[in-house]
């Protein structure tokens, strides 16, 4: 695999969505090619950053409202 | 997988619950035929309420709408839970109900038109403006310093700049950790479409954030990364 092919497949690699032998081929390339390894590091950091900054806590009163809604549905259905 | 239709909401997905980690192989479907007990719904489903709320907030971009969407999701989930097969992926099933409810309800009344033509890539101003930088985005170092220098607001703005069709697969994969197949079922699109939208959405995000870093002088654009070859 050359660098172009690696870059096309790097996210699939990170997602664990490649076949086993392709996972290995990418892994071997990354261990031998600093630019591609660096490219993946950028994507890993980017993804972690997006995930971290997309976290939202459930408003506590919303949890209560959901449970009340289900309780009402349950008693209404009986 | 034999679909078993619930009273409302989509059919369950035949994959074990929980997000996959980065290098984990996709989960194998293990579906027992036992039907879920409706009495267990709160205990089983409420553990995902926080995630569903975050998902709803990203879909609607509005706290009140997100709360309504979450309540609708759990009510539909409760009603449909009698037909839910235990052992299926409850988490993905709830995401699917939320996404469908959003598409059928909230998206229709949204101010901002969300379904831009996803093939008219050239219209994306930022993408055009920075042109060839996307290649360089793969080669910047040190990456962590760059990302730390970019504010939460910038990341959110870059995400919001993505059309819904790109944003949803990216968030489901990168934030919620769903497999391509799960995303295909949640969004009800072919897996090939998931892959192409993911790829394009992620590329846009990279370009947007990398260009921001360049604008702020955090990194130098690196024009010829492809010259390093094996
Ligand atoms: Zn390489």
């Amino acid at each position: 695999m050359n660098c172009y092919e690696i870059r096309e497949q790097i996210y699939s690699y990170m997602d664990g969505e490649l076949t086993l032998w392709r996972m290995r081929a990418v892994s071997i390339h990354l261990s031998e090619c600093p630019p591609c390894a660096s490219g993946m590091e950028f994507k890993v950091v980017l993804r972690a950053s997006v995930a971290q900054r997309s976290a939202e806590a459930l408003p506590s009163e919303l949890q209560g409202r959901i449970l009340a809604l289900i309780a009402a549905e349950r008693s209404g259905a009986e | 997988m034999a679909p078993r239709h619930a009273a409302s909401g989509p059919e369950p997905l035949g994959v074990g619950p929980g997000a996959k980690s980065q290098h984990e192989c996709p989960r194998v479907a293990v579906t027992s035929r036992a039907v879920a007990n409706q009495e267990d719904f709160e205990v089983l489903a409420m553990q995902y309420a926080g995630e569903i709320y975050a998902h709803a907030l990203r879909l609607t971009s509005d706290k009140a709408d997100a709360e309504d969407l979450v309540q609708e999701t759990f009510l539909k989930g409760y009603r449909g839970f009698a037909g839910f097969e235990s052992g299926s992926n409850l988490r993905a099933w709830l995401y699917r109900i939320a996404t469908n409810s959003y598409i059928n309800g909230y998206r229709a009344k949204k101010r901002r038109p969300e379904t831009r033509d996803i093939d008219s890539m050239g219209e994306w101003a930022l993408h055009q403006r920075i042109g060839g930088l996307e290649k360089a985005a793969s080669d910047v170092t040190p990456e962590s310093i760059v990302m730390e220098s970019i504010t939460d607001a910038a990341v959110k703005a870059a995400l919001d700049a993505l059309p819904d069709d790109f944003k949803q697969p990216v968030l489901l994969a990168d934030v919620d950790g769903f497999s391509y197949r799960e995303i295909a079922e949640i969004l009800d699109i072919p897996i090939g479409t998931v892959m192409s939208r993911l790829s394009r959405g992620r590329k846009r995000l990279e370009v947007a954030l990398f260009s921001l870093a360049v604008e702020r002088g955090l990194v130098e654009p690196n024009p010829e990364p492809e010259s390093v070859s094996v």
Side-chain angles (χ1 to χ4, degrees):
Chain A
M1 279 184 168
N2 61 33
C3 293
Y4 179 78
E5 289 171 311
I6 293 296
R7 273 162 214 189
E8 288 298 299
Q9 300 188 23
I10 197 72
Y11 270 116
S12 298
Y13 173 75
M14 288 163 57
D15 292 334
E17 299 266 3
L18 295 175
T19 59
L20 201 57
W21 79 264
R22 272 188 187 273
M23 294 290 285
R24 280 208 196 98
V26 173
S27 177
I28 289 166
H29 182 100
L30 289 170
S31 68
E32 294 168 347
C33 178
C36 283
S38 172
M40 185 174 84
E41 195 190 332
F42 177 81
K43 293 171 203 294
V44 169
V45 173
L46 171 65
R47 174 153 80 174
S49 173
V50 168
Q52 183 194 325
R53 293 163 207 229
S54 296
E56 295 286 345
L58 181 72
S60 56
E61 81 283 358
L62 178 58
Q63 175 155 2
R65 269 189 281 145
I66 295 168
L67 292 173
L69 203 61
I70 293 170
E73 177 77 9
R74 177 171 290 149
S75 62
E78 280 162 10
Chain B
M1 176 179 73
R4 180 194 289 271
H5 290 284
S8 64
E11 69 205 38
L13 310 178
V15 185
K20 73 190 166 68
S21 64
Q22 277 178 19
H23 298 285
E24 200 178 323
C25 288
R27 287 168 189 277
V28 180
V30 181
T31 309
S32 75
R33 290 288 148 212
V35 168
N37 183 348
Q38 206 168 19
E39 298 302 311
D40 297 335
F41 180 74
E42 287 101 314
V43 177
L44 295 173
M46 284 310 288
Q47 61 180 314
Y48 303 119
E51 282 183 71
I52 296 293
Y53 173 69
H55 178 62
L57 201 53
R58 293 192 297 263
L59 290 173
T60 62
S61 305
D62 181 271
K63 283 196 164 143
D65 281 349
E67 295 196 6
D68 288 350
L69 183 55
V70 172
Q71 292 184 75
E72 185 182 338
T73 299
F74 278 85
L75 189 59
K76 282 182 178 169
Y78 175 73
R79 287 175 181 158
F81 198 58
F84 182 81
E85 291 170 6
S86 64
S88 327
N89 191 337
L90 177 61
R91 180 169 170 263
W93 186 68
L94 290 169
Y95 269 80
R96 190 174 177 187
I97 295 174
T99 306
N100 282 345
S101 302
Y102 165 69
I103 290 168
N104 295 331
Y106 299 87
R107 181 154 147 176
K109 70 170 174 127
K110 269 190 95 177
R111 293 83 49 199
R112 187 161 54 110
E114 274 298 350
T115 33
R116 293 181 228 167
D117 178 12
I118 60 160
D119 288 320
S120 58
M121 301 289 278
E123 290 175 13
W124 195 49
L126 185 57
H127 192 269
Q128 281 193 320
R129 185 157 54 87
I130 56 172
L133 279 181
E134 70 182 59
K135 284 181 180 172
S138 299
D139 289 276
V140 62
T141 28
E143 296 76 10
S144 53
I145 293 172
V146 175
M147 286 310 299
E148 277 164 18
S149 313
I150 293 173
T151 61
D152 289 10
V155 172
K156 284 200 164 130
L159 273 172
D160 280 343
L162 291 181
D164 238 19
D165 290 328
F166 291 159
K167 185 165 67 173
Q168 288 189 38
V170 169
L171 291 172
L172 289 169
D174 290 349
V175 178
D176 302 311
F178 285 111
S179 70
Y180 297 171
R181 195 172 68 80
E182 288 171 312
I183 296 169
E185 296 192 34
I186 290 168
L187 297 177
D188 200 21
I189 53 178
I191 197 161
T193 309
V194 170
M195 291 168 74
S196 74
R197 289 185 186 176
L198 256 183
S199 165
R200 292 156 87 181
R202 283 162 158 173
K203 192 160 280 183
R204 287 188 179 195
L205 258 190
E206 283 184 20
V207 173
L209 292 173
F210 185 74
S211 69
L212 198 69
V214 171
E215 279 170 21
R216 294 181 182 181
L218 297 169
V219 291
E220 291 291 321
N222 183 352
E224 277 307 323
E226 305 297 332
S227 59
V228 184
S229 185
V230 172

